[in-house]
Amino acid sequence: MRLSDNDKAELNLWLEALSAQTGKKITSAKLLRGLTKMRDQVNEKKLIQAIYETN
């Protein structure tokens, strides 16, 4: 995945927080697999809006 330096920093902060909460190393691949597994629970309209806001 190509990310800007700011996006990488934000992602790493989120991964560190998740790792601290679980006591296990959470990688970006694990995060993506988890998000994919729960995609039926994600509000797609809000997700699409967030995607547009980041571009």
Side-chain angles (χ1 to χ4, degrees), residues 13-42:
L13 288 173
W14 192 15
L15 294 172
E16 288 172 11
L18 291 170
S19 294
Q21 289 177 23
T22 62
K24 296 181 179 182
K25 175 74 174 165
I26 303 297
T27 63
S28 56
K30 288 179 184 177
L31 174 61
L32 188 55
R33 284 193 300 271
L35 290 170
T36 300
K37 187 171 183 169
M38 62 177 290
R39 91 177 174 199
D40 290 337
Q41 300 168 5
V42 173

